[in-house]
Amino acid sequence: MDRVNATTPSASSADDPARAAFAALRTPEGEQLLAELRDHDPADELATATRLRRAHPAELVSAALGQARLRQRAVAKFGAEDAYRMYFTPNGVEQATRTSVAAHRAARFAGLGVRSVADLCCGIGGDAIALARAGISVLAVDRDPLTAEVARANAQALGLGELIEVRCADVTEIDTAPYDAVFVDPARRGGRGRIFDPEAYSPPLSWATAAALKAPRAALKIAPGIPHEAIGPEAEAEWISDGGDVKEAVLWYGEGFAPGAFRATLLPSGATLSAPAPLPAPPVGPVGRYLYEPDGAVIRAHLVADLVERCGGRLVDETIAYITSDEPYSSPYVAGYEITDELPFSMKRLKALLRERQIGVLTVKKRGSAVEPEELRRRMKLSGPGSATVFLTRVAGAPTMLIGHPLG
């Protein structure tokens, strides 16, 4: 059988320099170095390395500096309290689930009474940690020996070793029958960067889907840009944004989920919008007094038509996800703006209008326009106490500028 989630075969730490370096970091000397490097400035790394090498082996100093850089990067996903206690690999930081998203997923499982999960392709253990904190026991599996060791170290560092069993194995050989649920997070990066073909994931989407369908309940993490036609009818598909940025999509299977439904969830509020199936194409019409920009998760989930129906509005163009209405509408799923001007696209006209209104701060948003926001701001030569938002878009197919300000 091909090792579909493979990197390298198992080897002892002594035969693997990366694992030997990681083992050294977990010694008292290594831990002391990491504590000392917590707040170090990467710009001073050369001087710091020179100083530390007077008292510590060069290899250990290099490993500690590398780990310190990874911890600093990981703060954005895990928060400082956890990140500076955890261990990371470069791929682990890049591919790990953000804590807020992992906690949301764990809460959905826990809310359905799930008490045990087989976490396949666990990486450095971000999802396993969230599941354990939700009171769920976890079998965390990864075939890469170093990654498995890092996941085990993280469970111990966060006091979750009793709930998380880490196993270095091929996920295709794991018997998931004893577990209430399965979570699969296929690798979506290869030697050349991101992988866009779901069948080139490791393991492929087809294998992960088959594994999910065998379990009483399952979740399958996928890239948010996955084509809707690649999602089978057995899955409930959920797109998740955090702070307005779309972070991931997840396919849910089994009891308690809604096969064929699409869902958009916004964090940190937890607001969630769902529909059993996409609505017909929404109406298109002239720009009204108000413009609404849907959250990216709503757009990815193809739920814009649902919002158009809710606010009694229309799209400004059949290919653009901007909603307009004549009456104000408040919703967590949109950012609202009052529009003061609608003009055909013209840099010269925009510059004159902004100068006339003494606009010194300009927010530029675009959909359906090739103009780069930074280039536009540079050419406007902004000056003055006022502020405004300009939308570069298409209205009924024509390049258009909409100028206004946020509601509320």
Side-chain angles (χ1 to χ4, degrees):
M1 177 184 293
D2 290 338
R3 302 294 191 174
V4 295
N5 62 325
T7 50
T8 57
S10 180
S12 68
S13 177
D15 298 330
D16 185 336
R19 292 174 67 196
F22 177 64
L25 288 177
R26 302 197 68 206
T27 64
E29 184 179 11
E31 291 176 352
Q32 176 191 339
L33 267 177
L34 287 174
E36 188 175 338
L37 289 168
R38 172 175 173 138
D39 298 318
H40 95 288
D41 185 349
D44 298 330
E45 191 164 294
L46 181 59
T48 301
T50 301
R51 174 177 57 82
L52 292 176
R53 283 171 181 161
R54 297 189 187 112
H56 304 281
E59 295 83 357
L60 179 58
V61 171
S62 295
L65 284 167
Q67 190 62 222
R69 288 194 299 271
L70 294 175
R71 284 181 168 183
Q72 289 178 347
R73 284 174 56 194
V75 168
K77 285 188 173 183
F78 291 89
E81 184 176 353
D82 282 352
Y84 286 111
R85 290 190 289 165
M86 294 172 65
Y87 299 90
F88 302 95
T89 65
N91 284 341
V93 170
E94 188 70 33
Q95 299 183 25
T97 303
R98 180 178 292 259
T99 291
S100 55
V101 178
H104 162 73
R105 185 161 42 236
R108 287 201 77 183
F109 269 139
L112 292 171
V114 169
R115 308 311 303 160
S116 62
V117 171
D119 179 359
L120 308 182
C121 310
C122 68
I124 54 107
D127 279 281
I129 290 165
L131 289 164
R133 284 175 167 168
I136 297 170
S137 63
V138 185
L139 170 65
V141 184
D142 201 285
R143 187 172 185 269
D144 178 56
L146 174 60
T147 302
E149 288 182 17
V150 171
R152 187 176 296 111
N154 286 337
Q156 294 169 356
L158 299 179
L160 300 169
E162 293 298 315
L163 282 170
I164 301 174
E165 174 196 349
V166 179
R167 190 179 303 174
C168 183
D170 189 317
V171 298
T172 64
E173 298 174 358
I174 297 298
D175 177 14
T176 61
Y179 299 88
D180 296 340
V182 167
F183 172 63
V184 191
D185 181 6
R188 295 178 300 283
R189 284 184 176 270
R192 298 183 179 180
R194 288 185 180 179
I195 297 170
F196 296 98
D197 176 8
E199 283 308 295
Y201 291 173
S202 181
L205 181 62
S206 57
W207 181 90
T209 301
L213 289 171
K214 292 177 185 176
R217 295 185 178 92
L220 170 55
K221 179 179 171 180
I222 54 174
I226 187 171
H228 278 223
E229 56 268 23
I231 300 171
E234 311 92 346
E236 174 190 309
E238 180 181 28
W239 281 261
I240 304 169
S241 69
D242 190 2
D245 295 327
V246 181
K247 295 302 179 184
E248 68 175 59
V250 59
L251 304 182
W252 297 95
Y253 300 86
E255 186 179 351
F257 305 113
F262 298 99
R263 178 184 298 271
T265 298
L266 282 53
L267 301 177
S269 71
T272 188
L273 179 70
S274 64
L279 291 174
V284 178
V287 177
R289 182 175 177 181
Y290 302 98
L291 189 77
Y292 307 101
E293 181 181 27
D295 184 270
V298 172
I299 296 172
R300 294 281 193 177
H302 293 187
L303 294 174
V304 173
D306 187 271
L307 288 180
V308 172
E309 185 176 80
R310 287 173 181 237
C311 75
R314 54 202 176 267
L315 297 182
V316 301
D317 185 280
E318 64 180 4
T319 64
I320 303 293
Y322 283 141
I323 303 169
T324 188
S325 72
D326 303 310
E327 301 294 334
Y329 172 70
S330 178
S331 165
Y333 307 108
V334 298
Y337 299 83
E338 183 172 9
I339 299 301
T340 56
D341 301 87
E342 176 184 356
L343 302 168
F345 178 77
S346 165
M347 288 278 198
K348 185 176 180 180
R349 290 187 67 178
L350 179 61
K351 185 175 181 180
L353 185 147
L354 297 177
R355 183 186 297 118
E356 176 187 332
R357 296 184 184 174
Q358 297 185 316
I359 300 299
V361 177
L362 183 67
T363 300
V364 182
K365 293 179 173 288
K366 67 168 196 168
R367 283 200 180 131
S369 171
V371 177
E372 291 300 325
E374 287 303 321
E375 172 65 12
L376 183 140
R377 271 191 288 265
R378 185 186 66 80
R379 292 179 62 178
M380 291 300 102
K381 295 181 169 41
L382 301 168
S383 177
S387 62
T389 300
V390 59
F391 295 86
L392 307 177
T393 189
R394 293 193 303 271
V395 173
T400 303
M401 304 181 299
L402 304 175
I403 301 162
H405 55 82
L407 291 174

